[in-house]
Amino acid sequence: MDQKKPTVATFRKRKAAGEKIVMITAYDATGAAAALAAGIDILLVGDSMAMTALGYENTLPLGMDEAIYHTMAVRRGAHDAFIIFDMPFMSYQVSDEEALRNAGRAVKEGGADAVKLEGGAELNPLIAKLVGAGIPVMAHIGLLPQKVMTSGGYHLTGKTDDAVRRLLDDARSVEAAGAFSVVLECMPSHVGKEISAALAIPAIGIGSGPDCDGQVQVLNDVLGLFEAFTPKHSRRYAEVGKIIRQALSEYAGDVRGGKFPGPENCFK
Ligand code: KIV
């Protein structure tokens, strides 16, 4: 791991050197500090916070103010981290002017180092404007959770030759527009491999196979905080949800049974 805070140039060099890039979502200061201490390269203040942290059914209701509030907390917990702000649904679709203003807020108020946008070639003019204004952009192609209402669900992408060609075109065009990296979400492994190989910028996969230049996962999935099911693209590295429940039920039992507080917890 680099000693000093990474920049967009660091990630391009990592790709050129064949070194994998590790990215995880972070939504608060505690999670951010733990991820940084664990040597994670990039913290994504994902709009998945709508579901993982705020209890919404999908990512669509998240607003700019909520996302900035959480980004500020992530920055406070991880001063030296490279932090990406995931632009919320409808914060960049209305006009490029509004998108620039919102991305500017993410950097100036939230302390983000870059922004992420869901979409392909249609976003090229906006990507160029953001980069021109000095804001690094991570693109995001494949499964786009913000388009769940038009796609009708969360589906694997790149299933036909035509769809693979469109994904490749999108990836190449966001790179040409100035994106410093691109997320590839939920596509067959051979497609993730082909797109990663076709680009000079790092392609960060989620559900897109082992040959992407890096991987991103949702913190709650890898910690076992989301217990309803484990998405196929994820792996649980801990059962934190169970540990929390067990600790809290012991605490409740101790209070009810008169075992807490003990003498060591009391002041004289
Ligand atoms: O919001 C998020 O967590 C994301 C990742 C899944 C890439 O966009």
Side-chain angles (χ1 to χ4, degrees):
M1 203 187 74
D2 293 339
Q3 286 309 298
K4 56 182 174 44
K5 182 174 164 176
T7 67
V8 293
T10 316
F11 301 119
R12 201 182 254 263
K13 280 190 214 140
R14 289 275 189 89
K15 168 161 182 153
E19 292 168 14
K20 296 279 187 191
I21 297 163
V22 189
M23 173 159 137
I24 193 106
T25 61
Y27 311 112
D28 61 21
T30 307
L36 185 63
I40 303 284
D41 300 308
I42 301 178
L43 306 186
L44 171 68
V45 189
D47 64 352
S48 51
M49 82 170 75
M51 299 155 87
T52 56
L54 303 179
Y56 293 118
E57 206 165 297
N58 55 40
T59 60
L60 306 188
L62 186 71
M64 272 301 294
D65 289 343
E66 288 166 313
I68 285 181
Y69 177 79
H70 283 264
T71 306
M72 289 165 74
V74 168
R75 175 55 79 204
R76 285 192 291 266
H79 288 283
D80 297 332
F82 189 89
I83 296 173
I84 301 183
F85 178 90
D86 206 3
M87 297 285 284
F89 178 58
M90 295 317 287
S91 70
Y92 57 99
Q93 291 90 341
V94 176
S95 70
D96 287 1
E97 196 182 329
E98 195 171 313
L100 277 157
R101 198 170 293 119
N102 283 329
R105 285 190 65 198
V107 172
K108 293 170 72 156
E109 297 173 38
D113 298 296
V115 299
K116 179 168 83 61
L117 313 171
E118 290 187 13
E122 74 282 6
L123 293 178
N124 286 350
L126 174 58
I127 293 173
K129 283 182 199 166
L130 287 165
V131 175
I135 301 179
V137 176
M138 173 177 268
H140 180 157
I141 64 171
L143 190 162
L144 304 179
Q146 291 182 6
K147 297 227 167 112
V148 65
M149 289 193 295
T150 44
S151 63
Y154 302 101
H155 306 298
L156 185 71
T157 61
K159 286 194 281 189
T160 63
D161 289 349
D162 219 38
V164 173
R165 191 185 40 73
R166 280 198 304 273
L167 285 170
L168 254 172
D169 287 350
D170 274 339
R172 286 200 177 102
S173 75
V174 294
E175 174 173 45
F180 78 94
S181 178
V182 57
V183 167
L184 310 181
E185 180 158 358
C186 283
M187 53 191 75
S189 301
H190 72 92
V191 182
K193 181 176 182 178
E194 189 178 345
I195 295 177
S196 304
L199 303 179
I201 58 171
I204 310 295
I206 174 164
S208 300
D211 296 306
C212 298
D213 305 304
Q215 298 290 329
V216 56
Q217 284 291 313
V218 170
L219 186 73
N220 294 44
D221 290 338
V222 302
L223 294 185
L225 276 166
F226 174 67
E227 296 177 273
F229 65 93
T230 306
K232 182 171 170 62
H233 61 66
S234 193
R235 181 182 293 163
R236 260 189 221 181
Y237 286 88
E239 296 293 345
V240 176
K242 268 188 206 139
I243 292 169
I244 291 175
R245 265 200 315 283
Q246 195 180 334
L248 293 181
S249 84
E250 273 179 43
Y251 163 62
D254 283 357
V255 171
R256 291 184 185 119
K259 291 192 199 149
F260 180 86
E264 75 282 12
N265 308 117
C266 297
F267 302 98
K268 292 210 166 101

